[in-house]
Each structure stands twice: as structure tokens, then as C-alpha cells.
Amino acid sequence: MKMIYQQLLAFFLVIACTILLLGFSFGRMSKTFVYDQAWHNLEKYSDSLIQQSLTISSKSKAKVAFDEEKLKNSEALLENQSVHFTVFSPRDQVIYPNNGVAPRITKNDWKHLRKNQIVRKVNNKNFKMSNGKTRPAMIEVLKPYYYKKKLVAAVTVGAFISDVNSNVNRINRDLLKALFVALIISMFVSYFIARRLNRRISKLRSAANQVSNGNYQIRLTPGGKDEIGELIVDFNHMTQSLQQANNEIQRQEERRQEFLANAAHEMRTPLTTISGILEGIKYDVIPQESRAKSIDLMSSETQRLIRLVNENLDYEKIRSNSIQLDKRHFNAAKVLVNVTDQLTSKAEESQDKLVLNAPKDLSIYADYDRFVQIVFNIITNAIQFTNKGTITVTGERGYNETIIKVADTGIGMSQDQQKNIFERYYKADASRRAGKYGESGLGLAIVHQLVKSHGGKISVSSQLGKGTTFTVIIPDATAAEKEQDNS
């Protein structure tokens, strides 16, 4: 069964049950109301009857009598309304009418009457009287009347229960009509509510199909604060996340393809060189005096290939947290001196000047080899993008941390380049592909991952044409690490 029909049936059943319960309750209330109203009217007839016919003797104030003529007039009037009455004396004798068809007052009823209590009765069965006639079912009121705290009469006033029930039945018929109309209306209301909900679900389903087909740009209007509205909001968040993830995948795929192109380009040159030298040696076309130089060139190109492969392997190990850092305390100043000495010749090739500003004793808590790799890659990057400039390496202590800064006066970077500089395969200047260093575009990505592995931070600030500054912050050992070192 389709959901719209399930919802329609559910809404209709709930509304129908509610209407039927209310109708049943209202039917009982209306019956009670009609009966109460009938008893109340009978009491009023009884009071009017006594007021008109009761007389008090002028000789004896204690003697009470009834005017029979007035009783006859009242009887004639009440018969037109199908109301019958009987007046009894305190001794259970019929005062009026003396036609032998008077109802009986039971002993229990007399007990209530003598306590000045009104008795309301419903006789649902026909009653066979002493004269052989059958008295129809009646609704009656038995009411006592006192004069000077003395019971002087009891009056029974009754109406045919069929007349009262006819009023009840009329109300019930009207009620049934109203219930039927309400059920019809509820069916239409249920249909429109179910249709509205189903339409929103259908839109959500259609949108989900579009997402499965690769359309991550679709967004739906919530159009309500119910659960479906919340689901649509979550759906929009999901599609937004999928779109961002898809954009990132596409971007990474572009980077990967660019890297493969770069790697192929970078590997083709050394492989071609190595192949050419090997061919020359094989066929003895390289002079003996040039062989040593050719072998050195082949070794250099081989190291270049090894470096390209190792950088990729390093990045994957660092990114997957599969490397173990051997953190310890050592003097970072010595590392800075050694690295700057190693790269001085490389800087001189670009007519750059390397300047080191650091105290002789600069304590740091890090993995020695990885810290060397961090500093080496950052300075190498600075040399690569600086020509006839100055590269300043600064080391200093912060609050429970060691701060290393590498500032150059090179070409600088734009804001967009700064956002992507630590991403894999990214190169700020695509024209600088060849060279002894920085072939893969992985150097700064490796640095970023290594700094994060140390629990540190790395940031970059740059201006186009003015230079770039990298800042690395390595924190000192935590309490847990100090305890581990002591143990």
C-alpha cells in the first residue's frame, strides 16, 4: 500500500474515532439533558397545579383542601401536553382524579417524600392497572408539599416516556447527520494532509535520486518545522557536504593528474640521461676521459629519482600516522647551523644570502631527523623562490615552545596561493618544475604533516613581490611525555 493511502487511512481512523467518541458522549449528555429538562418541567407543572388548587380554610388555619374545579381545568390543560398528574393525601389516598387509574406510590418513595425529597422515576415498562387498563411507560416526578412543616399532599406528575424519547431520538438523528458530515469533511481533510506530506516526501525522493545520479547542487526548501522539514534541512546539509567533498575530490584529482604529469616530466629527463649514458658506455662512444663525469651525472640523476620516490613514500607514512617519532631534547641551534651550511652553496647559485639568527643554546623537544627534514625543506623552498635576495633563519624560545622562522625576500604569494601552499602536489609557481630540489610539490605538505605530528603549528605570511615568512612552533614536552622520558 502506498504511503499516501496509509496516511489517509491513519488520519481518517484517528479523526473518525475521535468524532465517534465525541458523538457517543454528546448523545449520552443530550439524553441526560432532555430527561433533566423533562423532570424540571414536570416539577414546574406540579408547583403550578398546587398553587392554583390548594386552599386553606378560613375557620381552621391548619386545614388544607383542594379546589376540584381548578384541578379539572389544570387536567384539561395538561392533557393537551400529554402530561398526567395525581394528587395524594399523606395517607396514600388519591385526592384527584378518582378514576381508578392512579399510579401507586411505593413505601420507599413515601420515605423520601416524608423527608421532603423529590423523587424522579423512569418506568420503562407498561403498567397494568386494577381496572384492567394498561398504563404506558412514563417519566414521573413525585413531589411532597408541606404546610407549616406538615405534609399535606404529594403530587405525581408524569409524561409518556415515548414523547421524551422522541425528543432524544430527534437530537440523535441531528447528531448522526452532523457526524456523517464531519466524517466526510475529515476524509477530505485527511486526503489533503496526506497528499501534502506525500508531495514533500516525493520531492525528497526525487532529490535523492538526483543525488545518486551525481547532482550534488540540488537544494530543497524546508517549508515546515515538522520532522519532514528537519529531514529536508539535514538533506540540504548532506548535499552541501557531498558537493564540497566532490569538489575536493575533483581538485585532488586535478592535482594528482598534474603531479603525474610533473612526475613523468621530472622522471623522463633523468631516465633519458641515464639511458643515454648507458648506451654510450655500452657502445664505447664516450671518451675515456669523459666517463667519470658521465658516471657522476648518472649518479646525480639517480639520486634525483630516489628523492622523488622517497618524498611520496614519506608523505603517505606521515599522513597515515605510520611513522614513530623519537622525540627528545636537543640543541636546535646546531641543526640550524648544519642545515644553513649545507644549503649555502645552493643559495649562492641563485645569488642568495643565508643569514642565521639564533642563540648558541636553543632547546627543543622533537624528533631529530624529522626536525632536520622540516628545516631543510622550508629553507630549500625559500631558496627556490628567491633570486638575489636574503633568506633569514631565526630561532628563539617562546612560552614552553620553540619558534623557528624562515623569511625570504623572494617572489611572495597571493592569498589563494597561501591557502593551498601546504596541500599535496601544489606548486605556487608551476614554471619552477625542474631543479635539484622541489620536483614533486610535496616538500611543504610533508613539513605541514610533520609539524602536526609534533603537536605544533605552522603558518605562512606573504606579499607578492616582497617575500614570504614561514613560522614553525614546536611545543615542549607535556607532563605525560616527561614522565615517560623519566621512566
Side-chain angles (χ1 to χ4, degrees), residues 202-213:
S202 297
K203 289 182 179 179
L204 190 60
R205 180 185 176 188
S206 176
N209 288 332
Q210 292 188 48
V211 171
S212 66
N213 292 329

Side-chain angles (χ1 to χ4, degrees), residues 184-456:
I184 299 253
I185 294 174
S186 69
M187 184 179 294
F188 282 103
V189 171
S190 301
Y191 173 76
F192 284 112
I193 293 175
R195 184 181 178 186
R196 179 177 179 271
L197 293 176
N198 192 69
R199 184 167 60 249
R200 297 169 69 194
I201 293 174
S202 297
K203 289 182 179 179
L204 190 60
R205 180 185 176 188
S206 176
N209 288 332
Q210 292 188 48
V211 171
S212 66
N213 292 329
N215 181 13
Y216 304 124
Q217 297 180 352
I218 186 169
R219 301 290 186 272
L220 296 177
T221 304
K225 295 183 179 180
D226 54 4
E227 286 78 1
I228 296 180
E230 294 174 355
L231 180 61
I232 291 175
V233 171
D234 293 338
F235 176 84
N236 290 337
H237 290 162
M238 180 194 71
T239 54
Q240 184 178 3
S241 300
L242 287 174
Q243 184 179 8
Q244 292 174 353
N246 185 62
N247 293 339
E248 180 63 22
I249 290 172
Q250 291 179 351
R251 196 161 61 90
Q252 291 297 334
E253 178 63 19
E254 291 174 359
R255 294 281 171 79
R256 186 186 68 83
Q257 292 177 358
E258 181 182 357
F259 164 73
L260 290 176
N262 293 345
H265 174 78
E266 297 295 337
M267 295 176 70
R268 185 182 294 112
T269 301
L271 286 174
T272 301
T273 302
I274 293 172
S275 177
I277 293 174
L278 289 175
E279 288 287 331
I281 294 175
K282 179 179 179 181
Y283 293 105
D284 199 21
V285 295
I286 299 177
Q288 188 67 33
E289 62 274 11
S290 300
R291 289 193 174 188
K293 185 178 179 181
S294 298
I295 292 173
D296 289 340
L297 179 59
M298 189 167 57
S299 175
S300 174
E301 295 300 314
T302 303
Q303 293 299 319
R304 183 176 174 184
L305 289 173
I306 292 173
R307 190 164 53 249
L308 187 66
V309 173
N310 286 341
E311 283 185 347
N312 274 278
L313 293 176
D314 273 356
Y315 180 82
E316 289 301 330
K317 289 181 181 179
I318 296 168
R319 188 178 61 85
S320 61
N321 293 322
S322 60
I323 63 168
Q324 296 293 328
L325 296 179
D326 181 20
K327 290 186 180 181
R328 55 190 175 87
H329 291 279
F330 59 89
N331 187 359
K334 291 184 178 180
V335 174
L336 297 178
V337 171
N338 291 337
V339 172
T340 52
D341 288 344
Q342 291 178 31
L343 294 176
T344 297
S345 59
K346 175 65 179 176
E348 289 175 351
E349 291 177 6
S350 301
Q351 300 180 18
D352 294 330
K353 182 180 180 182
L354 270 176
V355 179
L356 175 61
N357 295 324
K360 292 183 178 181
D361 188 7
L362 181 61
S363 177
I364 192 172
Y365 183 73
D367 183 296
Y368 184 88
D369 293 332
R370 296 302 179 181
F371 178 70
V372 171
Q373 189 176 5
I374 291 170
V375 175
F376 188 91
N377 282 352
I378 295 177
I379 297 177
T380 299
N381 183 79
I383 294 172
Q384 185 180 0
F385 293 98
T386 304
N387 188 30
K388 298 180 181 180
T390 302
I391 299 165
T392 305
V393 181
T394 305
E396 59 186 9
R397 285 288 299 169
Y399 180 72
N400 293 330
E401 60 190 15
T402 303
I403 303 172
I404 306 297
K405 293 182 180 180
V406 178
D408 63 60
T409 58
I411 62 176
M413 290 183 287
S414 66
Q415 291 293 328
D416 290 337
Q417 289 173 332
Q418 292 178 53
K419 291 178 182 177
N420 300 317
I421 193 64
F422 296 119
E423 293 189 11
R424 191 179 186 184
Y425 308 135
Y426 183 80
K427 290 187 178 183
D429 186 356
S431 64
R432 301 195 176 204
R433 300 177 186 267
K436 188 177 180 181
Y437 303 96
E439 298 94 340
S440 65
L442 285 170
L444 292 180
I446 292 174
V447 168
H448 183 251
Q449 292 294 332
L450 285 176
V451 173
K452 284 177 61 179
S453 299
H454 282 80

